[in-house]
Amino acid sequence: MLIVGGGIAAYKALELIRQLRAKGASVRCILTAGGAEFVTALSLSSLSGDKVYGDLFNLTDEAEMGHIELSRDADLLVVAPATANLLAKMTSGIADDLATTALLATDKPVLCAPAMNVRMWLHPATQRNVRALRADGVSFVGPDEGDMACGEFGPGRLAEPPAIVEAIGEMLAAGDKARPLAGTRVLVTSGPTHEPIDPVRYLANRSSGKQGHAIAAACARAGAEVVLISGPVALPDPQGVLTIHVETAREMLTATEEALPADVAIFAAAVADWRPDREGDAKIKKTQGAATPDLSLTENPDILATIGARKKARPKLVIGFAAETNDVVANATAKRTRKGADWILANDVSPASGVMGGDLNTIHLVTADGVEDWPRMGKDAVADELAQRIADAIGDRRTAGAVKA
Ligand code: CTP
């Protein structure tokens, strides 16, 4: 997304677009009112091959792509030329036109290429704004020093297009490294399921959902599009994750199947293996002297095994957990084959381990290649490690055509 501010250097934005497109980038422009005094929307549109946006309150534009979406659809926002006025507004969070609104609403990195008169650049107000913006994570390229259109000499010239293109390339490469799961769709199940006995009672597994929710959040931080299917938990929905709330195993299976296709599916939920075979409409009453209710159970679908066995739309990487109280690795190894999973993260959930409801976890990663023992670490660290492993495997798949199991 290229935001063209109002300065004489706006003409260089045209060459910048040309060079970016020559490198295979797609460029969409926002032209400020000031910028439109120096270059036309038609020139930007001809070179970018895309529509040019300018008006915050344009009904047609808003219906096609809202201004919030516009700012998030890009990988990077580039302000060139970034005028003293634009920098000041960005510093204060003023959003009084489409450009400044997009800059305030974006969740993407921002690169500014300042261009202004030397006195304006050196003014303490501008220098203070640049320091504040840098502290906010905004990057800068230039300005260069030299003769200026206004007849003065000094720093304030817009960086040359090749230097801006290079800075953009570096920022995009750094972004790819920080978001190794970008472009990947990940599905995660988490929490327990509740299987109703009657309208007020249920059967459930012990599960806080901490590990599954941490995995969903870690994958989202790594750039994945994440769908989290959660049983009843006392945790907030993780940021940047589409969370679907379910109660029972059967609802969890339906929601999982509806969320496909996905590149990766991680089954961290503690699904109740059985449910009462008849859910009464009325509360079972405790009558003095009467026999205790006879709960007969029926087996729930195994979500992991169902997805693992799919022929159509099976995720490339199917990852299960194995909650074991004894013979952890042996049981997990058998479970991997039985459930058709690529990887199993086995953990000891015996009462002595403190894993259930706690913040720490000791994982044994079981794959087709063998078993890897991870050190005891926080559930957030397990989640980050798993996200990185998934990114490595997906990366290998992209280059080698198969997932490294
Ligand atoms: N799982 C599932 N659906 C079920 C039961 C389990 O998707 N109905 C998934 C869990 O999310 C986990 C894995 O299967 O990823 C293993 O769960 P675990 O409770 O360890 O295994 P069980 O199937 O209960 O096997 P067992 O009772 O023999 O330990």
Side-chain angles (χ1 to χ4, degrees):
M1 169 63 69
L2 176 63
I3 294 173
V4 182
I8 179 64
Y11 78 92
K12 286 195 195 169
L14 302 174
E15 175 60 12
L16 178 62
I17 299 170
R18 203 190 58 74
Q19 291 191 14
L20 285 169
R21 295 214 53 205
K23 288 211 173 267
S26 37
V27 183
R28 180 172 280 159
C29 297
I30 294 180
L31 180 60
T32 64
E37 298 289 335
F38 296 92
V39 289
T40 66
L42 183 61
S43 316
L44 295 177
S45 169
S46 308
L47 285 164
S48 65
D50 203 338
K51 200 178 146 100
V52 172
Y53 295 80
D55 189 356
L56 181 56
F57 300 111
N58 183 313
L59 274 181
T60 326
D61 288 357
E62 203 58 23
E64 278 172 12
M65 182 182 271
H67 59 275
I68 305 287
E69 205 183 327
L70 187 65
S71 71
R72 297 188 184 159
D73 195 49
D75 297 307
L76 179 68
L77 270 67
V78 180
V79 190
T83 60
N85 182 49
L86 266 175
L87 295 178
K89 283 185 183 173
M90 285 171 71
T91 308
S92 313
I94 292 173
D96 62 355
D97 64 0
L98 183 62
T100 47
T101 305
L103 284 161
L104 196 61
T106 193
D107 57 353
K108 298 294 161 43
V110 176
L111 173 69
C112 285
M116 65 197 74
N117 168 274
V118 57
R119 296 283 153 228
M120 290 170 80
W121 173 250
L122 294 175
H123 195 285
T126 304
Q127 290 302 308
R128 198 165 52 233
N129 291 339
V130 170
R131 276 196 303 278
L133 288 169
R134 278 192 202 280
D136 287 347
V138 172
S139 299
F140 284 83
V141 53
D144 288 351
E145 196 171 282
D147 287 323
M148 312 201 67
C150 49
E152 293 186 58
F153 180 90
R157 281 166 58 112
L158 183 74
E160 290 304 323
I164 302 177
V165 169
E166 197 183 320
I168 291 171
E170 280 169 14
M171 284 183 74
L172 290 176
D176 284 351
K177 236 173 123 193
R179 296 165 62 84
L181 287 178
T184 310
R185 183 171 159 91
V186 175
L187 187 158
V188 182
T189 70
S190 181
T193 62
H194 284 182
E195 310 296 333
I197 297 169
D198 67 14
V200 297
R201 304 178 176 95
Y202 58 81
L203 279 182
N205 276 22
R206 274 189 209 284
S207 168
S208 63
K210 279 183 186 168
Q211 187 63 81
H213 277 55
I215 290 170
C219 290
R221 278 197 303 276
E225 175 196 349
V226 182
V227 183
L228 171 66
I229 297 158
S230 172
V233 292
L235 299 171
D237 294 351
Q239 253 198 341
V241 167
L242 173 66
T243 306
I244 297 167
H245 296 273
V246 296
E247 290 268 334
T248 66
R250 286 178 296 171
E251 285 169 11
M252 191 174 271
L253 175 61
T254 306
T256 302
E257 287 176 326
E258 282 173 2
L260 292 175
D263 301 291
V264 181
I266 305 159
F267 297 90
V271 184
D273 287 318
W274 305 280
R275 66 175 183 274
D277 61 1
R278 223 167 346 137
E279 179 197 343
D281 293 337
K283 184 183 174 193
I284 304 170
K285 297 302 285 180
K286 179 179 60 180
T287 327
Q288 199 84 49
T292 52
D294 196 7
L295 279 187
S296 101
L297 303 177
T298 187
E299 201 168 314
N300 263 332
D302 190 307
I303 304 167
L304 166 59
T306 307
I307 304 302
R310 273 178 85 107
K311 296 273 173 286
K312 231 176 97 191
R314 180 189 185 276
K316 304 284 184 309
L317 197 52
V318 173
I319 303 172
F321 272 77
E324 308 290 347
T325 51
N326 51 288
D327 300 322
V328 177
V329 169
N331 282 334
T333 307
K335 212 169 259 182
R336 192 186 80 85
T337 324
R338 193 169 71 242
K339 297 207 181 196
D342 298 301
W343 298 356
I344 289 277
L345 278 82
N347 51 1
D348 182 350
V349 291
S350 59
S353 73
V355 166
M356 283 296 194
D359 292 323
L360 293 174
N361 212 346
T362 309
I363 294 288
H364 309 276
L365 175 65
V366 181
T367 70
D369 290 344
V371 183
E372 206 181 283
D373 301 323
W374 291 5
R376 191 170 173 77
M377 52 177 131
K379 289 182 176 174
D380 286 336
V382 167
D384 284 329
E385 180 66 26
L386 181 62
Q388 190 54 57
R389 294 300 180 98
I390 292 170
D392 293 346
I394 297 272
D396 286 355
R397 182 197 65 188
R398 281 185 190 136
T399 47
V403 170
K404 190 172 159 234

